[in-house]
Amino acid sequence: MSETAIQAAAETPPASPMRGYWRSVFARLGRDPITLCFAVVVLAIVLAALAAPLIAPFDPYQQSIIGRLKPPGWRGHPLGTDELGRDLLSRLLYGGRISLLMGLAPVLIATLIGGTLGMIGGFAGRLANTAIMRTMDVFYAFPSVLLAVAISGAMGGGIGNGILSLSLVFTPAMCRIAETASAQVKHLDYIEAARASGASAARILRHHVLGNVLGPVLIYASSLVSVSILLASGLSFLGLGVQPPEPDWGLMLSTLRQSLYVDPLGCALPGIAIFTTSVCFNLLSDGVRRAMDVRA
Amino acid sequence: MDGGQDRGPPLLEVADLTVRFVGHEARVQALAGVSFSLRAGEVLCLLGESGSGKSVTLRALMQLLPPGRTEVAGQVRLAGQDVLALRGRALQAFRGGSVAMVFQEPMSALDPVYTIGQHLIEAIRQHRGGSRAAARARAIGLLELVKIPAAARRIDAYPHELSGGLRQRAMIALALSCTPRLLLADEPTTALDATVQIQVLILLRRLQQEFGMGTLFVTHDLAVAAEIADRVAVMYAGRIVEEGPVAAVLRAPAHPYTAALLASTVHDQAPDQDIPTIPGSPPDLGALPPGCSFAPRCALVRDACRIGPPPATHPAPGRMVRCLRSADVLATPLASLATGDYR
C-alpha cells in the first residue's frame, strides 16, 4: 500500500523546473556589481595575456640601442621602452602569460595534491593522518621563500622548476587546511547519517566531505594565487625563476629597478600589473565564494 | 521476554548486547547486556535519561560506533541475519536498505551543501539504482508522503531553507526512501516545537503502520512514549530495567526507577507543589556498582540489592522487570509513589 502511495505520488508531474545551482550562483553574482567589476578586470588581464601575440604592437624581444627608456608615445611605443629599448606594452602583455601561469599552476597543483591528501588524512585519522601530516610538517619546517629558493637553486632556473618549487611550497599549507576542515566535518551528524543510509567511505568523502571542505580550500587557494604570482616574481627577481630575455613581470621589475630615477613610470608598470592582478583575483574569489555559498 | 504473544518470529532479536568504550585511561560500560525483541509493525520505545544507553543501542545496531574505540559483543539478528557480522558492501546495503535511522537534529543530520532532493536521490539510486529522473520522481512522491506541501518545489530547497518540522519530515522521507524493515528513531521530535512534535509523531505512527516497519523509538519523554509506543523498555545505566506493554508499564510500573520517572513528570501536579525528583545522579559508567545500578538512588533498597544485578522476572505476561522488590512497587498505588511513600 505504501509502495503504491509513493508511486502514485510519483506520477504527478513536477510543478516547477529545477532551479539549477549554477543559475542561482550567477543570479547572485549579477546582483553584486563590485565583484562583477573585478571579474571584468581579471577577464581583461587573462584575455590580454592569451591574445598577446595578436595585440602586442611590437616584438617583445626586439631591442634598440637608441630607443632605451623612452617615455610613452615615443615612436609609436604606447608605454615607452625598457632599458634595452624593447616595447614595454608588448613585454607586459607577454609577461602576463608567464606570470599568470606561474600564479595559477602551482596553486592548482598544490590544491589538487595537498587538498586530496589533507582530506584523506583528516577523514581517515589515525595512521594515514600521522603519515601524511608529519610528512607535511617536514616541508613546513622550512620558511617558504627559502624552500622555493633552495629547490629552484638546486634544480636550476626555468619556468618548470619554478612551478615545481612553488607547488611544493604551497602543498603543506593546502593539506593542513583540508585536513582541519575534514576533521571537523567528520564528526558532524550528517556524516553519521550518510553512513547510516549505507554510503561507503569513498562516497562520503567524495560527496559530503568534499562538498564541505571545498569552501575553505577554495578561499585559501584563491588567496594563494596572488602570493604565488608575487613569489614567482620574487624567484625571477633573484634570477631563479624565469630567465632573461623571457618577459615576466617579476623579472621586468628586477631589471627596470635600476632605472628607477631615469624612468619611474616604466619601472612601476610591472609592479602595477602584479598588484592589480593579485588584488583583483583576491576580491573576485571573495565575491564568487559568497555567491556559491548555499549555506547563507 | 516477550511473554505469550506469538505472531510469527520477531523481526529483530537483540541478545545480551554489550558495548564498552575503550579510552586511554578508562573503559566505560555503555551497555551491559541488553536483550529485547521486536516484531514487524511494532513500536518499541527505549525510555531513559541521558547516558542510559538508548542512543548507543541504536548505533550498535547499525555498527555506527567507532570501531577502534568500542568493543561490541552480543547477538543482533534482523530477520535471521547476523547484523554484527556484516562487513563491507553487505553492511552498506543493510544500512539504509534494511534499516534506516531518523536523527534527533535534522539541521545537522542533513548536509548543508546539498538540496533535500540530492539527499533523497543519492540514497534512492544507491539502494535501488535506476535513472536520475526516476529517482527524482520517487523523491517527490516520498516528500508528498510525509506531507511536505509543494513537494515538487521544496525538493530543490536546501536544508536551511526549510522549517524545523519540514526538515524532520524530509529526514523521515530520507529514512523511508528505500522502504526499510526496521526504523530507528533517535529522539526525532526532541528538537521540535510541541505543536510540530505531535504532528511528526502522528505522521511517524501512520507511516510505520502503513509500511509495516518495526520501529525502535528512543526518547526520554514519557508523553511521547505513551503516544507512539506499543511496548516500552526503560533503560538505566546500560541495562533494560523494565519492559512491557506501554499502558501497563506507565499505569503500574514494576521498577522503582520507572515509578520515580512517572512521579517526576510535570503533568497532573498541583501548581504550588515541588515536583518530586530522584535523589542522586546516574552512576559513573566507568565504575558501576556490583549490584542493581539503581540501588544508590532507590528508596526501596535492601542489602540484597547491592550484591549482584537482579535477575529478570516476569510479573505479568509480556512484562519483564529487573528488581528484587517489584512486587512491592506493583502493590503501591501510583499516587503515593510520587511522595516516595511506599508502605
Side-chain angles (χ1 to χ4, degrees), chain B residues 98-120:
Chain B
S98 305
V99 183
M101 190 147 164
V102 178
F103 286 79
Q104 173 173 354
E105 185 36 86
M107 186 67 223
S108 58
L110 293 169
D111 190 334
V113 300
Y114 290 105
T115 61
I116 302 301
Q118 285 166 331
H119 279 96
L120 285 162

Side-chain angles (χ1 to χ4, degrees), chain A residues 19 192 197-198 207-208 294, chain B residues 59 111 114 126-127 156 160:
Chain A
R19 195 169 27 160
E192 192 180 33
S197 70
H207 286 261
H208 300 288
V294 295
Chain B
R59 278 164 180 74
D111 190 334
Y114 290 105
Q126 180 176 357
H127 289 287
D156 292 319
H160 74 268

